[in-house]
Amino acid sequence: MTGTEAEPVQRRAARLVRSGLLDVEFYGALVGGSFDTDDDAALHAVTEGMPQRLSFNPFVDFARLPQPVRRAFRAGKVGVVLKHLEAEGLPAYDERTRATLLEVARGLGARGRTSLPDPLVDWDAELARLAERVPGRTSVVIPTYDDWFMTVRAATAVLVESGAADVEVVVVDNGSPPHVALALAGALASAFVGDDAIRVVHLPQNTNFAGGSNVGFARSTGDRVVFLNNDTRVRHGWLPPLLAPLDDPQVAGSQSLLVFPDDTIQAAGTVFPAEGLLPSHLLVGHPRQDADAVEGRRFSVATAAALAMRAEDVVALRGFDPAYRNGFEDVDLCLRALELRPGGFRVATGSVVTHYESQSPGRFAKAMDNRRLFVERWRDRLPAPEPEVYAELGWRLALPVADDGQPVPVARPVVTGRLRRDPDRLRWGLRIPSTGGHWGDVWGDTHFAEELARALRRLGQDAVVHRRDAHDAASTAYDDVSLVLRGTYPGRPAPEQTSVLWVISHPDEIADEELTGFDLVCAASTTWAQERSRALGRPVRPLLQATGLPSVDGGGDRSPTAVFVGNAEDRTRPMVHWAVEAGVPVAVYGRGWDDLPADAWRAAQLPNDRLGEVYRAHAVVIADHWPDMARHGFVANRVFDAVASGAHVLCDEVSGVAEMFPGRVRVCRGPADLRAGYDAALAAPALPVAEAGLSFDDRARELLQAVRGLRG
């Protein structure tokens, strides 16, 4: 290196020292050495460490930097990196987090001098310590390699969505590059400071899913274990239904219902479809509701993407066989487990897990090797084929012909249609605007559709729900009736099916041409339906919103605090502020209410299954509407829920709402109106049971009658 070339490097190193961000102890641990001076450490960082993505400070996370800054970092351009950090600000310094990352750095720096034991786990020692495992604790083991973001998301979701259950999470970093390992450890350490329910184990090399899962199990403490892929996100309420099958001593384990991000099924069980073919996942690409039919069904094998087992069984089986490299280790484990518990495996359809299915390098070659190994071991001992499972679930199946010359046969059975056993039993596909995944779970449109689907099933119909990104999924072709629930996003008619549009909200966004092409158009407003009928010259049928809550008597020992359920992130909600201004005590559930008095806000979210409980506990419910819904007479289903719960409702001005619910709903136009309505409600006698016609069962009957009339 010439002097002119060395000069800029020296200046960059000096700038790094002057910044005060060079943590010499941390950087030395990370590179596995030590430095006599800060200048030596800085020069090493600029010339060798930064090009290798090695950070000079535990709180400077290379993986989180924007792409242009990452390029500058790898080029050793200290000035660009420091300018970005000055603009964005460093994360708050935390000594405990630094200590965690310093320990990780020491392990990363010693990788070249560290070897893994063979075998990875001393299973005899695990057998001896079985009695030390904590009864009732569930250990969730998440192996990962070269991915910190999805892993942090997966681990965080487990702790967030498991409620008060005794759960621990063991993340096994399978030899990820140092910048990924540090990003993973740093994100979890800062998010869960002082939380002993989560920890990270860093291995010096990649031991694949089998080895990582075994090591994670050996570091766990629960008497039940869930093996979970890092590219997953568990959904609300996932754990109790997953563990419930383990109460049966004959059952070897259970898996969650795995769905793709669009909420179609990825795996609702795994079956051996024909002689000579390898197992395949069941109902791939179908809507979630199709999986309900497999609840309680025995399966010979399950997928370890989200698999629950007893710790004692994992020890007895000596875990996953590490000879498999990210494929078929779970099938192998399950078949061995049948010798312990012949009751097999279950799919817990109430335990939903989104699976993002990351693609690992060399996946195809590894898959072929895994298939060969599996076939060699199990060729003459596989469970009996189960081609009848599809027919039992109501589906026609096309099976590939097994090729005797193929050493690793792959099954790709294809569903070709439904088996129609009852011509009066229609399949309704409810197409909704909600997104897939956990965010879509909390949409009001999702709860609305699921209530309607349950009501249709009670009438002897089949009903499934298609989230927004699944409207064009291949499985929608199996529907007899396409019912578009029009909320914030439009839906298209399905010409091959009886096509129904039900406008339930946001009428100002709906152009007249959107109403064409449907066999039946309904609207949750009598006023708007009449206006559109006159304007279009075709009937628009009034079909009001509804409630899934049972009607109950009002009165009793109800709280005098008025309750409101709704978010304030995307709109103003003056009714709540009127209540505060008028001195009405309020209990608010929802996000975006930072400007409320501290005693008024209860929680960021109220689970839908608790809505009836909360409404029945309060004498007064506050309800409001989007401005266009109020203007056009679209009464929200929150009003129906509150009326069915026996509460008095204080509502903004919606065309016809007071006449629709006489004596139960009072329209408020300002703080004084709201105060007067609140006082009158508390002074009024208990309300009688609400009149009929409020329920989704009523709406389902109306829809079924109308569709049968169209179909003849």
Side-chain angles (χ1 to χ4, degrees):
M1 179 180 291
T2 67
T4 55
E5 290 173 333
E7 183 67 23
V9 172
Q10 297 288 354
R11 285 205 300 267
R12 281 179 271 159
R15 179 179 293 190
L16 180 58
V17 173
R18 289 196 304 272
S19 73
L21 292 178
L22 176 62
D23 188 325
V24 176
E25 181 185 21
F26 169 82
Y27 181 72
L30 186 58
V31 299
S34 60
F35 299 96
D36 294 332
T37 67
D38 290 359
D39 292 336
D40 290 342
L43 187 61
H44 189 281
V46 171
T47 58
E48 298 187 42
M50 293 174 71
Q52 297 179 55
R53 300 174 291 190
L54 302 180
S55 182
F56 45 78
N57 184 292
F59 297 101
V60 176
D61 186 348
F62 173 87
R64 290 177 183 262
L65 296 174
Q67 187 175 13
V69 183
R70 290 202 299 269
R71 286 198 295 266
F73 191 103
R74 298 198 70 178
K77 296 180 178 179
V78 174
V80 175
V81 176
L82 293 179
K83 183 177 180 180
H84 169 78
L85 295 175
E86 289 168 4
E88 296 296 320
L90 280 175
Y93 181 86
D94 176 73
E95 183 59 43
R96 183 163 183 163
T97 300
R98 180 188 179 275
T100 298
L101 294 177
L102 179 59
E103 189 62 30
V104 172
R106 289 185 177 120
L108 295 172
R111 272 184 176 178
R113 305 186 300 273
T114 304
S115 60
L116 289 169
D118 185 19
L120 287 171
V121 174
D122 183 343
W123 291 108
D124 292 332
E126 291 304 310
L127 178 63
R129 79 175 189 94
L130 267 178
E132 301 173 11
R133 288 187 170 267
V134 180
R137 175 174 296 169
T138 301
S139 299
V140 180
V141 176
I142 306 176
T144 183
Y145 172 74
D146 201 15
D147 189 304
W148 68 272
F149 177 79
M150 285 199 294
T151 306
V152 170
R153 177 178 60 189
T156 301
V158 168
L159 295 183
V160 169
E161 304 293 3
S162 298
D166 185 359
V167 172
E168 68 173 358
V169 178
V170 181
V171 175
V172 180
D173 169 29
N174 252 326
S176 296
H179 71 285
V180 176
L182 286 168
L184 173 65
L188 291 176
S190 59
F192 299 99
V193 173
D195 192 339
D196 295 332
I198 188 165
R199 57 186 177 279
V200 185
V201 178
H202 295 276
L203 300 182
Q205 65 194 59
N206 192 351
T207 64
N208 301 309
F209 181 86
S213 295
N214 289 345
V215 169
F217 173 81
R219 303 292 183 91
S220 70
T221 63
D223 67 343
R224 294 165 298 186
V225 61
V226 175
F227 298 104
L228 187 69
N229 277 18
N230 79 300
D231 54 351
T232 60
R233 191 198 189 283
V234 302
R235 308 271 277 271
H236 178 71
W238 75 290
L239 189 58
L242 180 62
L243 298 179
L246 300 184
D247 292 339
D248 182 347
Q250 293 296 306
V251 171
S254 64
Q255 72 157 81
S256 298
L257 173 64
L258 296 173
V259 299
F260 293 117
D262 66 359
D263 254 40
T264 60
I265 295 171
Q266 190 238 351
T270 302
V271 297
F272 291 83
E275 191 72 40
L277 292 178
L278 293 180
S280 63
H281 292 325
L282 190 62
L283 299 177
V284 176
H286 284 235
R288 276 169 48 183
Q289 291 75 19
D290 281 343
D292 292 344
V294 308
E295 185 73 34
R297 187 182 187 93
R298 179 192 183 277
F299 290 92
S300 297
V301 298
T303 172
L307 175 65
M309 295 182 67
R310 301 171 185 85
E312 61 183 289
D313 292 353
V314 177
V315 172
L317 297 167
R318 293 183 171 253
F320 294 97
D321 187 340
Y324 294 94
R325 296 187 300 162
N326 301 330
F328 281 89
E329 61 276 288
D330 49 358
V331 181
D332 177 271
L333 176 71
C334 291
L335 291 178
R336 289 186 283 124
L338 293 181
E339 300 175 6
L340 296 178
R341 301 188 190 267
F345 293 82
R346 302 291 183 269
V347 176
T349 59
S351 173
V352 181
V353 174
T354 303
H355 192 189
Y356 297 91
E357 278 206 306
S358 61
Q359 304 289 319
S360 58
R363 187 181 183 190
F364 180 75
K366 291 178 181 178
M368 294 298 291
D369 291 343
N370 290 325
R371 290 169 188 158
R372 289 191 182 94
L373 175 59
F374 179 78
V375 170
E376 289 171 2
R377 290 188 177 182
W378 292 97
R379 184 185 299 276
D380 299 323
R381 297 182 292 149
L382 292 177
E386 306 166 272
E388 72 285 350
V389 63
Y390 283 90
E392 291 172 2
L393 298 176
W395 301 99
R396 289 197 305 270
L397 186 70
L399 282 172
V401 177
D403 181 359
D404 293 336
Q406 169 59 264
V408 284
V410 180
R412 293 188 178 89
V414 177
V415 171
T416 59
R418 289 167 50 222
L419 295 174
R420 296 180 177 274
R421 300 186 175 99
D422 181 355
D424 292 328
R425 189 180 184 93
L426 302 176
R427 179 177 170 92
W428 297 66
L430 279 57
R431 304 185 184 204
I432 64 175
S434 308
T435 59
H438 68 289
W439 288 118
D441 290 347
V442 300
W443 280 45
D445 293 326
T446 302
H447 302 310
F448 189 99
E450 290 175 349
E451 289 283 5
L452 180 59
R454 283 191 285 269
L456 286 165
R457 291 187 208 110
R458 288 192 289 270
L459 293 177
Q461 305 293 288
D462 288 329
V464 297
V465 178
H466 305 297
R467 301 261 183 115
R468 186 197 311 169
D469 292 333
H471 285 190
D472 295 323
S475 59
T476 60
Y478 308 138
D479 300 336
D480 299 307
V481 182
S482 170
L483 173 55
V484 173
L485 297 177
R486 176 53 157 102
T488 53
Y489 291 87
R492 297 188 302 275
E496 300 81 13
Q497 299 156 354
T498 301
S499 199
V500 181
L501 174 68
W502 186 3
V503 180
I504 60 175
S505 64
H506 298 286
D508 277 358
E509 299 178 11
I510 301 173
D512 287 347
E513 48 270 26
E514 189 180 330
L515 306 182
T516 62
F518 289 92
D519 300 304
L520 174 65
V521 177
C522 304
S525 165
T526 301
T527 303
W528 194 82
Q530 292 171 347
E531 292 172 352
R532 291 299 88 207
S533 295
R534 289 192 297 268
L536 297 173
R538 64 160 294 177
V540 175
R541 178 180 182 137
L543 189 68
L544 303 181
Q545 292 207 28
T547 181
L549 304 177
S551 294
V552 298
D553 284 319
D557 295 328
R558 293 183 176 229
S559 169
T561 300
V563 66
F564 178 86
V565 179
N567 299 322
E569 294 173 318
D570 51 1
R571 56 172 160 153
T572 58
R573 315 208 68 154
M575 290 282 290
V576 174
H577 294 290
W578 291 348
V580 173
E581 183 180 341
V584 172
V586 291
V588 177
Y589 295 84
R591 298 184 300 274
W593 291 104
D594 298 337
D595 56 348
L596 282 182
D599 60 346
W601 186 76
R602 294 293 189 271
Q605 181 182 340
L606 178 67
N608 199 61
D609 56 9
R610 288 197 57 223
L611 182 66
E613 166 198 335
V614 170
Y615 276 3
R616 287 189 290 271
H618 291 78
V620 179
V621 171
I622 297 174
D624 68 356
H625 296 73
W626 287 94
D628 60 340
M629 290 180 66
R631 190 166 54 253
H632 293 291
F634 282 77
V635 179
N637 65 318
R638 282 283 184 261
V639 176
F640 288 84
D641 292 333
V643 168
S645 301
H648 291 270
V649 184
L650 304 180
C651 183
D652 53 358
E653 190 168 9
V654 181
S655 175
V657 67
E659 293 76 20
M660 189 183 299
F661 303 108
R664 297 178 181 274
V665 176
R666 178 164 177 154
V667 171
C668 303
R669 299 175 180 85
D673 275 353
L674 197 145
R675 181 74 217 196
Y678 172 77
D679 292 338
L682 293 189
L687 292 170
V689 173
E691 59 271 18
L694 302 178
S695 72
F696 280 101
D697 290 315
D698 297 309
R699 304 298 174 262
R701 278 190 289 269
E702 292 179 69
L703 282 166
L704 181 56
Q705 181 181 14
V707 165
R708 281 176 171 166
L710 291 171
R711 294 173 66 89

